[in-house]
Amino acid sequence: MPEVVEAVKAAREGDWRPGADLLAAAGQEWDLRWDRLCALASVASQDDRWLSAWQAERPKDPDAAAVYAQALLYRAGDVRGAGLAKDVPAERMAQFQQLLPASLYAAQEAAALAPHDPSPWVTMVAAARGLVLPHEEFRQLWSELTARAPHHFFGHLEALQYWCAKWCGSDQLAYRFAKEAAASAPAHTLLSVLPLMASFEQALQGPGLMPFAGRNSKSTINALLDAVSAAPADDPRLPLARHTLAAALAQAGRGREALEQFRLLEPWVGAQPWTYHRDPVAAFDRARAIAILRAGRRSATAARSA
């Protein structure tokens, strides 16, 4: 979105006001607000001088506080890196373990400044998996988030990660969470993506070549396909849902439908499931090539049957 690009550009140049205006304009469209907040927090995680100026001029601004909390979380992730814990140098792991509680505490402060806003609770839910909080403590955070935004798309993505086997749960817990959330959410929330994501996470635990999608039923894929087809083109949730859908359709042999999703996505590949691979572009290209191959085979079969 042009307004996000402009606000990010201004922040990099030291001006916090366009970012403040951007968040204010989102109002209570919580997913839109979160998408914008993350863009600003990403900038602040690298250079927060503009954010410090914002906080100095408006020390009780809840938006600045929420951006700060998420920026600390991003900084913690950057310090730790994407590798296994055993491969992270001790110094970096120590810094990671300092930044995570700092992020959680900053999010609590942001929540106190804006009791109606779910955004700080999304940060807390995300921090919970790095802190390996017990299930009961996590559920308390989750209940606070959903009390404010029952179908918060990005909040559900963070919660799904907590329940995955690689963090604090199991394949069964992750899939149960995904299935229940998708079943209870209106189609326009795009939470029908969750079961597909859960099946992909389960597939990651298997041996051999890292997959680009798990195995999903036709009805599960169709539910997301219908929701994506009805979503506005500027919906901030749409790109991630479309990436997951493209991968699932290709895996299911539905080449033509997969190619339509790939066409709408190109050339951007910076999302799951591709980012789980060392070379996201190669993973994206491999899935698209499979879709092309399967679309061609279906076309040939149809021609022979005509």
Side-chain angles (χ1 to χ4, degrees):
M1 295 183 187
E3 61 271 24
V4 177
V5 172
E6 289 301 317
V8 165
K9 181 175 181 291
R12 286 177 174 149
E13 294 172 352
D15 186 359
W16 55 268
R17 289 174 179 80
D21 293 342
L22 185 74
L23 289 183
Q28 295 189 10
E29 293 185 54
W30 299 126
D31 283 320
L32 176 63
R33 172 179 169 78
W34 182 252
D35 184 65
R36 294 177 172 186
L37 188 153
C38 287
L40 295 170
S42 181
V43 178
S45 71
Q46 304 300 317
D47 182 351
D48 63 359
R49 287 174 293 181
W50 63 276
L51 180 56
S52 296
W54 183 359
Q55 292 175 302
E57 186 158 333
R58 299 180 185 175
K60 296 297 182 181
D61 190 323
D63 288 354
V67 172
Y68 175 67
Q70 185 64 18
L72 287 176
L73 187 64
Y74 281 151
R75 199 170 294 162
D78 289 341
V79 165
R80 185 194 182 283
L84 297 174
K86 65 181 181 63
D87 298 326
V88 180
E91 182 180 344
R92 293 179 65 178
M93 184 58 78
Q95 190 177 356
F96 171 72
Q97 291 170 344
Q98 290 176 342
L99 284 166
L100 268 184
S103 173
L104 185 68
Y105 179 72
Q108 291 169 340
E109 290 191 320
L113 292 172
H116 65 289
D117 185 4
S119 304
W121 295 97
V122 180
T123 300
M124 287 185 247
V125 162
R129 68 174 180 268
L131 292 166
V132 197
L133 293 187
H135 291 180
E136 189 53 40
E137 289 185 42
F138 178 83
R139 288 189 176 101
Q140 291 173 7
L141 295 177
W142 183 241
S143 68
E144 293 287 353
L145 196 166
T146 54
R148 292 161 175 79
H151 306 300
H152 197 296
F153 180 82
F154 298 103
H156 276 80
L157 300 189
E158 298 294 352
L160 178 61
Q161 287 297 310
Y162 174 89
W163 290 116
C164 284
K166 65 186 179 185
W167 285 105
C168 306
S170 66
D171 291 338
Q172 292 74 23
L173 288 172
Y175 191 71
R176 183 193 306 166
F177 170 81
K179 188 176 180 180
E180 290 176 354
S184 64
H188 73 268
T189 63
L190 297 182
L191 287 180
S192 50
V193 74
L194 291 174
L196 282 75
M197 288 184 163
S199 69
F200 172 68
E201 291 288 347
Q202 184 173 356
L204 287 177
Q205 309 305 314
L209 183 67
M210 184 184 292
F212 56 79
R215 296 190 179 278
N216 301 281
S217 68
K218 183 177 180 181
S219 61
T220 301
I221 295 174
N222 285 348
L224 181 58
L225 183 61
D226 291 343
V228 163
S229 298
D234 62 349
D235 189 321
R237 303 166 296 192
L238 185 56
L240 197 151
R242 200 183 290 284
H243 279 285
T244 304
L245 177 60
L249 287 167
Q251 179 75 26
R254 297 165 64 171
R256 286 187 178 181
E257 293 165 293
L259 284 177
E260 175 61 16
Q261 300 304 317
F262 282 117
R263 183 186 67 79
L264 292 166
L265 286 167
E266 292 175 342
W268 187 65
V269 299
Q272 297 178 23
W274 328 116
T275 50
Y276 278 94
H277 297 255
R278 288 187 177 181
D279 188 340
V281 175
F284 181 93
D285 286 344
R286 172 174 166 261
R288 183 176 54 182
I290 289 172
I292 292 169
L293 178 63
R294 290 176 175 172
R297 285 178 179 172
R298 181 159 295 185
S299 297
T301 301
R304 286 194 297 269
S305 301

